PDB file of all heavy atoms in Angstrom:
ATOM      1  N   ALA A 798      42.560 -14.300 -17.305  1.00 91.00           N
ATOM      2  CA  ALA A 798      41.211 -14.197 -16.743  1.00 91.00           C
ATOM      3  C   ALA A 798      40.745 -15.615 -16.500  1.00 91.00           C
ATOM      4  O   ALA A 798      41.104 -16.519 -17.254  1.00 91.00           O
ATOM      5  CB  ALA A 798      40.277 -13.498 -17.710  1.00 91.00           C
ATOM      6  N   ILE A 800      37.420 -18.038 -15.973  1.00 92.00           N
ATOM      7  CA  ILE A 800      35.968 -18.041 -16.157  1.00 92.00           C
ATOM      8  C   ILE A 800      35.432 -19.402 -15.714  1.00 92.00           C
ATOM      9  O   ILE A 800      35.863 -20.427 -16.240  1.00 92.00           O
ATOM     10  CB  ILE A 800      35.620 -17.807 -17.639  1.00 92.00           C
ATOM     11  CG1 ILE A 800      36.255 -16.491 -18.102  1.00 92.00           C
ATOM     12  CG2 ILE A 800      34.117 -17.765 -17.843  1.00 92.00           C
ATOM     13  CD1 ILE A 800      36.322 -16.339 -19.582  1.00 92.00           C
ATOM     14  N   LYS A 822      31.253 -11.486 -24.072  1.00 88.00           N
ATOM     15  CA  LYS A 822      31.526 -11.072 -22.696  1.00 88.00           C
ATOM     16  C   LYS A 822      32.736 -10.153 -22.722  1.00 88.00           C
ATOM     17  O   LYS A 822      33.710 -10.428 -23.389  1.00 88.00           O
ATOM     18  CB  LYS A 822      31.826 -12.318 -21.861  1.00 88.00           C
ATOM     19  CG  LYS A 822      32.108 -12.048 -20.387  1.00 88.00           C
ATOM     20  CD  LYS A 822      32.338 -13.385 -19.678  1.00 88.00           C
ATOM     21  CE  LYS A 822      32.902 -13.204 -18.285  1.00 88.00           C
ATOM     22  NZ  LYS A 822      32.000 -12.603 -17.324  1.00 88.00           N
ATOM     23  N   ALA A 823      32.616  -9.039 -21.992  1.00 88.00           N
ATOM     24  CA  ALA A 823      33.783  -8.165 -21.869  1.00 88.00           C
ATOM     25  C   ALA A 823      34.635  -8.735 -20.749  1.00 88.00           C
ATOM     26  O   ALA A 823      34.181  -8.851 -19.625  1.00 88.00           O
ATOM     27  CB  ALA A 823      33.353  -6.751 -21.531  1.00 88.00           C
ATOM     28  N   VAL A 824      35.853  -9.121 -21.067  1.00 90.00           N
ATOM     29  CA  VAL A 824      36.714  -9.751 -20.066  1.00 90.00           C
ATOM     30  C   VAL A 824      37.923  -8.852 -19.837  1.00 90.00           C
ATOM     31  O   VAL A 824      38.561  -8.410 -20.791  1.00 90.00           O
ATOM     32  CB  VAL A 824      37.187 -11.133 -20.573  1.00 90.00           C
ATOM     33  CG1 VAL A 824      38.089 -11.772 -19.548  1.00 90.00           C
ATOM     34  CG2 VAL A 824      36.003 -12.014 -20.858  1.00 90.00           C
ATOM     35  N   PHE A 825      38.212  -8.574 -18.577  1.00 89.00           N
ATOM     36  CA  PHE A 825      39.391  -7.768 -18.264  1.00 89.00           C
ATOM     37  C   PHE A 825      40.468  -8.696 -17.735  1.00 89.00           C
ATOM     38  O   PHE A 825      40.227  -9.453 -16.802  1.00 89.00           O
ATOM     39  CB  PHE A 825      39.051  -6.714 -17.215  1.00 89.00           C
ATOM     40  CG  PHE A 825      38.122  -5.669 -17.740  1.00 89.00           C
ATOM     41  CD1 PHE A 825      36.755  -5.798 -17.588  1.00 89.00           C
ATOM     42  CD2 PHE A 825      38.617  -4.574 -18.415  1.00 89.00           C
ATOM     43  CE1 PHE A 825      35.896  -4.845 -18.095  1.00 89.00           C
ATOM     44  CE2 PHE A 825      37.760  -3.619 -18.924  1.00 89.00           C
ATOM     45  CZ  PHE A 825      36.398  -3.750 -18.768  1.00 89.00           C
ATOM     46  N   LEU A 826      41.633  -8.639 -18.329  1.00 90.00           N
ATOM     47  CA  LEU A 826      42.705  -9.522 -17.880  1.00 90.00           C
ATOM     48  C   LEU A 826      43.463  -8.859 -16.743  1.00 90.00           C
ATOM     49  O   LEU A 826      43.643  -7.642 -16.719  1.00 90.00           O
ATOM     50  CB  LEU A 826      43.667  -9.809 -19.029  1.00 90.00           C
ATOM     51  CG  LEU A 826      43.041 -10.431 -20.282  1.00 90.00           C
ATOM     52  CD1 LEU A 826      44.129 -10.854 -21.242  1.00 90.00           C
ATOM     53  CD2 LEU A 826      42.184 -11.631 -19.928  1.00 90.00           C
ATOM     54  N   ALA A 843      44.450  -5.862 -20.261  1.00 90.00           N
ATOM     55  CA  ALA A 843      43.838  -5.889 -21.585  1.00 90.00           C
ATOM     56  C   ALA A 843      42.348  -6.075 -21.402  1.00 90.00           C
ATOM     57  O   ALA A 843      41.911  -6.664 -20.422  1.00 90.00           O
ATOM     58  CB  ALA A 843      44.399  -7.032 -22.417  1.00 90.00           C
ATOM     59  N   LYS A 844      41.597  -5.554 -22.355  1.00 90.00           N
ATOM     60  CA  LYS A 844      40.148  -5.756 -22.321  1.00 90.00           C
ATOM     61  C   LYS A 844      39.781  -6.544 -23.572  1.00 90.00           C
ATOM     62  O   LYS A 844      40.106  -6.133 -24.684  1.00 90.00           O
ATOM     63  CB  LYS A 844      39.437  -4.404 -22.311  1.00 90.00           C
ATOM     64  CG  LYS A 844      37.945  -4.495 -22.580  1.00 90.00           C
ATOM     65  CD  LYS A 844      37.313  -3.116 -22.518  1.00 90.00           C
ATOM     66  CE  LYS A 844      35.894  -3.119 -23.033  1.00 90.00           C
ATOM     67  NZ  LYS A 844      35.749  -2.928 -24.451  1.00 90.00           N
ATOM     68  N   LEU A 845      39.150  -7.690 -23.366  1.00 91.00           N
ATOM     69  CA  LEU A 845      38.766  -8.521 -24.505  1.00 91.00           C
ATOM     70  C   LEU A 845      37.264  -8.494 -24.675  1.00 91.00           C
ATOM     71  O   LEU A 845      36.527  -8.487 -23.688  1.00 91.00           O
ATOM     72  CB  LEU A 845      39.177  -9.976 -24.275  1.00 91.00           C
ATOM     73  CG  LEU A 845      40.644 -10.240 -23.977  1.00 91.00           C
ATOM     74  CD1 LEU A 845      40.860 -11.728 -23.797  1.00 91.00           C
ATOM     75  CD2 LEU A 845      41.501  -9.735 -25.111  1.00 91.00           C
ATOM     76  N   LEU A 847      34.944 -11.184 -25.865  1.00 91.00           N
ATOM     77  CA  LEU A 847      35.228 -12.593 -26.062  1.00 91.00           C
ATOM     78  C   LEU A 847      33.913 -13.347 -26.146  1.00 91.00           C
ATOM     79  O   LEU A 847      33.001 -13.088 -25.364  1.00 91.00           O
ATOM     80  CB  LEU A 847      36.048 -13.048 -24.847  1.00 91.00           C
ATOM     81  CG  LEU A 847      36.585 -14.449 -24.798  1.00 91.00           C
ATOM     82  CD1 LEU A 847      37.433 -14.712 -26.018  1.00 91.00           C
ATOM     83  CD2 LEU A 847      37.440 -14.622 -23.558  1.00 91.00           C
TER      84      LEU A 847
END
Side-chain angles (χ1 to χ4, degrees):
I800 303 164
K822 181 178 168 68
V824 179
F825 292 93
L826 303 189
K844 167 179 169 273
L845 304 181
L847 184 56

